Amino acid sequence: MNNFQNTFEYIQKQIDKKTLNLVDLCEVYLSRIKKNSDLNIFVEVFEKEALSKAKEIQNKIIAKKAGSLAGLFVGLKDNISYKDHLVSASSKILQGYVSPYNSKVVKSLLDKDAIIIGRLNCDEFAMGSSNENSYYGPVKNPINTNKVPGGSSGGAAAAVAKGLCTVSLGSDTGGSIRQPASFCGVIGFKPTYGKVSRHGLISYASSFDQIGPISNTVYDTAIIMNYISGKDTKDSTTSNKINKDHILGFKKKNKKYKILFSNDFLAYDGIDLEIKEKFLEFISNLKNNGHSIKEINFKHLNYVLPIYYILTTAEASSNLSRYDGVKYGHRFSQSKDIEDVFIKSRSFGFGEEVKRRIMLGTFVLSQEYYEAYYTKAQKARRMILNDYNNILKDADFLLTPTTPNTAFNLKELQDPIKMYSQDIFTVTANLVGAPALSMPVFKHSNNMPFGLQIMAKSFDDHKVLDFSYYLEKKYKSQ
């Protein structure tokens, strides 16, 4: 049983053949989690609850009354709400907070008999690129425990890579699903903004955040997307323009795509030369297989990070103002008065990186600097969106490496600017609200994986998944 393929597609087939018992499968996952506790991936495991649910759903399977996601064990990033369970965004300031409701994505999965197996470690309030900014301590990369798993959804990527759950749900603000997926050798998908409800997601930057799945196969990603996509009356940013048919088949096997790539990404100063070489080799391979390849200029690459951090920190400053030690979460017990409660609860409750971003966001929103920074960044964001749409008007996809390098060592990057630059290839998709997927096409000579990023026009999520499915079947790690 320990040798089973950790994909929902495989589990479904075994259920149909009546060769798999969910209680046994649950025990395998729980055993693996215990054996790998040193990786610090889970902050809480719902052991008794998961076993109880596995027994209940196994009986449903026998009675042929089980939901379509029976057999799916889900790890939940610690910023997604699950009713009557703790959720802390891996922050001291939210210790002891129990969610009074289910997030929309959790409800959608539970309604179809998926099982939530536990909470996954992440960077505090999803702020980070290494999963070292957590109140619970850093997560280790399961491929090489001296290295980071990426962030902020590092626990979510590591859990799937190590086989501790079937799939996980993370959140992506500037690459927080795709970058750890690249570092851990799994598939990470950021849907179009507005395609998946953010109801029940603890906010970092509301106009950037998006929930998405991390899995081992494109098929599993597509299945999850079928159930978590859709209009939600509790999230006004969700769109009616929803194509929920993500089931794959790649029926047009001879279909040739119009693919773009930009040397601006490959000329980035910090890119690993082997990543550049293998990416260009891959592009050449696609061309040899009959796909149309065109090199384009993406002149805004040097501006995407400054724009991103101005806008996201501004939104974070506003969103995190609610954590004041009064309503819920951590409260400094020795405060003299209400002002002291505010100051000391936030000073001791927030970590260093969160405080840095709140301060930066408050600065750019201040009366003196609002026009100089925030307003200009909003205008620049619109300019990049217009140019992105124009670039892809007559093409299907824009391909890039997901990250400029492979996973770096724990404690290696102490300079915040160098840490922020880890998102240089991923933030564009969040700035423009477009779908983007990282898949583990490549393997570096240092034995670490790195991903191919596939970006497309907004609401072309199904096309991204279909193309990824084609690539998954055609290419192995190179």
Side-chain angles (χ1 to χ4, degrees), residues 244-372:
K244 289 191 69 174
D245 182 17
H246 301 103
I247 299 297
L248 305 163
F250 204 75
K251 295 175 182 177
K252 298 179 181 178
K253 292 186 178 179
N254 295 319
K255 181 176 175 59
K256 303 304 177 185
Y257 287 105
K258 295 179 180 178
I259 296 167
L260 308 176
F261 79 99
S262 172
N263 197 52
D264 295 289
F265 288 84
L266 304 178
Y268 173 65
D269 283 344
I271 194 170
D272 181 291
L273 290 180
E274 189 173 334
I275 288 179
K276 177 179 178 178
E277 290 170 4
K278 290 202 169 186
F279 175 79
L280 286 173
E281 183 182 329
F282 186 83
I283 290 292
S284 177
N285 201 327
L286 287 175
K287 186 175 182 179
N288 292 337
N289 278 280
H291 299 286
S292 170
I293 305 294
K294 182 181 178 182
E295 182 179 348
I296 52 100
N297 291 322
F298 192 77
K299 56 188 177 182
H300 306 302
L301 186 64
N302 290 332
Y303 301 104
V304 294
L305 277 179
I307 293 166
Y308 170 80
Y309 278 101
I310 288 171
L311 296 178
T312 56
T313 56
E315 293 184 24
S317 173
S318 175
N319 279 328
L320 272 61
S321 64
R322 72 193 71 179
Y323 306 108
D324 52 16
V326 175
K327 294 180 284 296
Y328 42 72
H330 173 75
R331 178 185 297 176
F332 190 77
S333 59
Q334 300 171 16
S335 301
K336 296 177 293 185
D337 51 36
I338 189 65
E339 184 178 359
D340 207 34
V341 169
F342 294 156
I343 293 170
K344 289 183 177 176
S345 295
R346 291 170 67 81
S347 295
F348 289 99
F350 287 133
E352 181 181 341
E353 182 60 33
V354 174
K355 286 188 278 192
R356 180 185 289 118
R357 298 195 193 195
I358 290 173
M359 291 174 69
L360 178 57
T362 303
F363 173 81
V364 301
L365 288 175
S366 64
Q367 186 175 359
E368 298 93 329
Y369 297 103
Y370 184 88
E371 292 292 332

Side-chain angles (χ1 to χ4, degrees), residues 18 108 121 131 199 215 307 357-358 379 386 431 437:
K18 300 179 181 179
S108 298
N121 202 343
N131 217 142
H199 174 65
S215 71
I307 293 166
R357 298 195 193 195
I358 290 173
K379 290 177 180 178
N386 292 341
L431 280 170
L437 181 144

